Amino acid sequence: MSAPSNAPIVKGWCPGALRPMMSGDGLVVRIRAPFGCLSQDQAMGVADLSDRFGSGQMDLSARANLQLRGVSEANHPDLLTGLRELNLLDPSQEVEARRNIVMTPFWEIGDETFRIATRLNNAFLAETAPQTPGKFGYAVDCSNAPVLGDCSADIRIERCERGRLICRPDGHAFGAWVTESSAAQTALELAQWFLDTGGAPENRGRMRAHLAKGAVLPDKFSEVPAPLGATHPCPGMSEKGVFFGLEFGALTSDTLRALATLGPLRLTPWRMILVTSCTKPAEIPDTYLDPESPLQRAFACTGAPHCPQALGPTRPVARSLVSMLEPGQNLHVSGCAKGCALPGKADLTLCATGPDRFDLIRNGRASDTAVMENLSASALPKYLS
């Protein structure tokens, strides 16, 4: 049976700078900032490039990357030149596609997280790392309490409750003991095992799905239970600076400039930007600092017309419903069944089926079976209450 005509297209790769992805508003150009960090000059430069060669609209991805939107194909070469001058461009598409490393934002220069991430980064730059699929990624989470548990990653390097480091495949409840010097190599060996055991047919695949199909891990990955982890930080003050929340992870070039005036930036996978040298909250347009804001629990992709696969608008709908959320309840509004804004489950998920129509899924993903179908946007408050 053929797929429905409105079924979303799964491309199996993520946009980059060297290999952007066409969307409804032009090319999406994703910047993978080394160590998830932008200096003040780099952030100012990116804001200027976004205005000159794009629409001035940006998104913060779930892997702590910055996406420039509205870039025309004609402007793309000049944009790359500007990114290269800012030292924000990988040497090749192959390196860019596989250098998917997310770090806890609480790292310090020279600490274990930094040194392990540096070893991984160097392996990708030297092209000695396994050639995993484009969505395959690594999390380096060596803080005393790991915070990246809800971040998309296939291989995790974490600190366990006993203070030691482990390397763990995503979706597995146990990991292998590692040291700072062996962690990166063990992670790369695990990635090679993933490939050797058929985890990436047609160069697509993720670790969790591979294990769910019955792949048998090497014995050492059953040495120690996974750490319990901790909830990720909220907007506002922290030990490292100020976390500025972004509604649905979206920001403009003006917002990026304003943040850059306060200090160096660290991009996070939680739709927040950390300004590391900021010592007190500041009012920045289009950001929020309230740790109790329901926006922390509302997820929405760009939707129509910006995404060609979206069957309807998303963020205006999510914005109209966010005040209805009960404490602890989360909402996901998706333009299609792919559920890009929140791959995991939500208490309430709305999946667009048309310009003004949504299916309602409870405690599930955008691709799950709906409990109510084809609801109009105006009727949604009635069914969500």
Side-chain angles (χ1 to χ4, degrees), residues 272-290:
M272 296 188 294
I273 290 179
L274 171 63
V275 183
T276 55
S277 63
C278 191
T279 57
K280 63 179 181 179
E283 291 190 8
I284 300 294
D286 299 321
T287 70
Y288 64 94
L289 295 167
D290 179 7

Side-chain angles (χ1 to χ4, degrees), residues 53-66:
F53 304 121
S55 63
Q57 302 293 319
M58 289 173 264
D59 290 306
L60 191 57
S61 82
R63 283 189 170 168
N65 296 314
L66 191 62

Side-chain angles (χ1 to χ4, degrees), residues 300-306 310-318 333-335 350-358 377 380:
C301 60
T302 53
H306 304 296
L311 301 177
T314 55
R315 289 177 178 172
V317 173
V333 183
S334 183
L350 297 168
C351 183
T353 58
D356 187 49
R357 296 287 163 175
F358 293 86
L380 291 174

Side-chain angles (χ1 to χ4, degrees), residues 203-328:
N203 199 32
R204 294 186 182 186
R206 301 295 301 274
M207 180 68 78
R208 181 180 288 268
H210 186 45
L211 295 180
K213 293 176 182 176
V216 180
L217 287 159
D219 289 343
K220 67 180 179 179
F221 290 101
S222 296
E223 290 176 341
V224 59
L228 296 177
T231 58
H232 64 69
C234 294
M237 287 297 304
S238 79
E239 61 188 70
K240 291 294 296 182
V242 179
F243 283 95
F244 289 86
L246 304 170
E247 184 187 58
F248 310 123
L251 69 159
T252 66
S253 55
D254 288 340
T255 301
L256 186 62
R257 284 192 194 90
L259 290 170
T261 63
L262 303 177
L265 310 183
R266 291 191 182 177
L267 311 178
T268 82
W270 309 302
R271 302 172 301 157
M272 296 188 294
I273 290 179
L274 171 63
V275 183
T276 55
S277 63
C278 191
T279 57
K280 63 179 181 179
E283 291 190 8
I284 300 294
D286 299 321
T287 70
Y288 64 94
L289 295 167
D290 179 7
E292 303 299 325
S293 172
L295 286 170
Q296 279 277 284
R297 296 178 278 111
F299 302 83
C301 60
T302 53
H306 304 296
C307 175
Q309 298 198 61
L311 301 177
T314 55
R315 289 177 178 172
V317 173
R319 194 174 292 117
S320 70
L321 298 172
V322 69
S323 63
M324 296 178 54
L325 294 178
E326 298 177 2

